[in-house]
Amino acid sequence: MLKASFYNRYTEARDPSQTIVFNRYWGSVAVLDTAVASRLREDDLASIDPGEVVEMEQAGFVVPADRDEKAVAEERYLQAKANNTTLGITISTGEACNIACGYCYQNDDRDNSKLRPETIDGVVAYIEKVVAEGHRPITDVSLRWIGGEPLMQKKEILEATPRIRETCERLGVNCHAQMDTNGLLIDAAVVRAMDALSITVTNKADHNIMRVRKNGTGTYEAILKKIRRHAEDFNETGTVLAIRFNAHAMNAKYVPEVYRMVRGLGVRYTDFDLYEVVNYDFNLMVPTLTREQYKKLYLDLIKLKVESGEVVDAFPRPTFAPCSGYTPFNIKVMASGKLAVCDAPQEEVGALAQLLDDPTAHGQIFPDQAEHNPFQHPRCGGCPNIGICGGEYFCKFNPHAAEQNPCDFLPFDMDEFLRYFAEQVPKTPQRFIFETTV
């Protein structure tokens, strides 16, 4: 006996005779005759051609009638949490910065923190401990430098990064180093030390208002000059230039222009992504886009990438994995050696030294993250989107931002994306990264 999967999503195609079915457990997509999709939705499998039912079962749209899909999904989540192969290490160099963006959430926290040598010693020892003791089956270490502006401590970073890489190499695991920087202080050594550099850039007029030096002058020209100057360093090492465009109502129309500009900088590997500007109660910026406007803008960017020959990974893949901050043993280390829960928060909780003898103390320092299981949440547990969304993480309830909706977890409209996806994949399947299509 078979039944329609709980994780099926049904989306009307532009042609009313067709319906797109997306399975949010497997990531499978099918375009079915609307009559067949209706029978599937109604669990009337007996009236569907047996050959089609076999194909549906192979793709996960149909499952054994006695399968408890939610229990299977919960086990998949718990296994993904316990067996994640990437150890995430974020190191914050402090809040000091060489520019003065008026909107930055760190403005009230500026300090002169310095990265302590013992903090790097502790990170190295922690990586060795977690990998050697097999607390998770680690194959990769993701090292991220953030600030403030990390390159205000360039010397320390350029000494620490190869040391951490060498430690990983000795342990037989890969190391991927990335940095969030405003771009003003990059040089050949920095580009060659990192696997990726993330830099915020918008259109010139907006950028030179929003991202200014302490004397009020803009930084747009200086940042692009640095990138162009070191394009060959990016290319020789394969370092990725990741551009972040902070989108709001005043600059949204310039997204295509800036995207094309970035692709013309001479850097072989670029990544361009949008971020939604959110006004905080302590820091009002500019008129923001409505959620619907932002979702349309994001989908328009996906379309532009496909048209430009890029491979896009925006497909809502069901990973059933927690975010980095909720994955056991991942850490954010402050310059002082104190810990924070993930990349964004500044609140210090515990210290790295507590983990060096016993890394499992991570769960005691961050009990809410250790115990997080969205399948046991009264609202999230029965939601078919849970494998994509991950549940109600603490960051989805920002007390400083109005109208936060933890269920609005995608930057684009899923139905509109599925329509576009179903139309484009038959023409250019190589342009999308996804799980399965049938």
Side-chain angles (χ1 to χ4, degrees), residues 379-380 383 385 389 392 396 404-410:
R379 183 165 72 160
C380 298
C383 178
N385 289 321
C389 165
E392 292 190 353
K396 294 180 180 179
Q404 296 290 292
N405 179 4
C407 292
D408 198 7
F409 60 96
L410 287 175

Side-chain angles (χ1 to χ4, degrees), residues 9-22 29-35 37 41 414-423:
R9 181 187 182 98
Y10 302 86
T11 295
E12 294 180 1
R14 302 194 203 285
D15 180 347
S17 69
Q18 296 181 325
T19 297
I20 304 162
V21 186
F22 169 47
V29 178
V31 179
L32 304 179
D33 289 342
T34 294
R41 190 200 297 254
M414 188 184 292
D415 289 325
E416 281 299 318
F417 179 89
L418 287 170
R419 292 184 189 102
Y420 176 71
F421 180 84
E423 292 166 355

Side-chain angles (χ1 to χ4, degrees), residues 22 26-30 58-59 61 315 421 433-438:
F22 169 47
W26 291 109
S28 305
V29 178
Q58 291 172 341
F61 300 119
F315 188 82
F421 180 84
I433 297 176
F434 53 92
E435 294 291 316
T436 309
T437 57
V438 296

Side-chain angles (χ1 to χ4, degrees), residues 126-242:
Y126 181 71
I127 293 171
E128 290 180 331
K129 189 82 170 175
V130 173
V131 173
E133 293 183 357
H135 292 287
R136 280 202 276 116
I138 305 300
T139 60
D140 296 80
V141 171
S142 176
L143 173 66
R144 184 182 182 197
W145 295 98
I146 63 174
E149 172 48 51
L151 290 177
M152 293 184 72
Q153 298 183 62
K154 185 186 298 186
K155 177 177 179 293
E156 289 79 2
I157 290 173
L158 291 178
E159 290 175 352
T161 301
R163 182 182 172 193
I164 294 172
R165 284 192 188 278
E166 289 162 7
T167 299
C168 292
E169 183 177 353
R170 176 166 46 81
L171 293 167
V173 299
N174 302 308
C175 180
H176 311 274
Q178 182 253 334
M179 180 188 297
D180 291 2
T181 172
N182 58 43
L184 288 175
L185 300 176
I186 65 171
D187 58 21
V190 170
V191 173
R192 292 174 177 275
M194 298 295 149
D195 296 289
L197 288 173
S198 177
I199 301 173
T200 297
V201 176
T202 57
N203 58 297
K204 180 177 178 179
D206 177 76
H207 188 108
N208 280 341
I209 292 172
M210 306 299 288
R211 300 183 64 76
V212 298
R213 293 181 176 86
K214 294 178 181 179
N215 65 3
T217 59
T219 58
Y220 180 88
E221 294 87 349
I223 292 169
L224 293 188
K225 183 178 179 181
K226 278 292 185 81
I227 293 172
R228 290 191 178 98
R229 180 186 301 167
H230 296 292
E232 283 309 306
D233 296 307
F234 277 96
N235 294 338
E236 287 179 13
T237 56
T239 301
V240 176
L241 171 64

Side-chain angles (χ1 to χ4, degrees), residues 106 236 317:
Q106 294 180 331
E236 287 179 13
R317 296 188 302 279

Side-chain angles (χ1 to χ4, degrees), residues 89-94 113-116 118-120 122-123 331-342 345-355 365-366:
I89 307 288
T90 295
I91 303 177
S92 172
T93 59
S113 297
K114 292 293 183 182
L115 193 60
R116 297 179 181 176
E118 56 267 31
T119 298
I120 301 303
V123 168
I331 56 172
K332 174 186 178 180
V333 186
M334 313 302 279
S336 63
K338 298 287 188 179
L339 300 175
V341 67
C342 74
Q346 303 300 304
E347 295 81 8
E348 297 178 351
V349 183
L352 180 57
Q354 295 174 255
L355 303 179
I365 297 172
F366 302 108

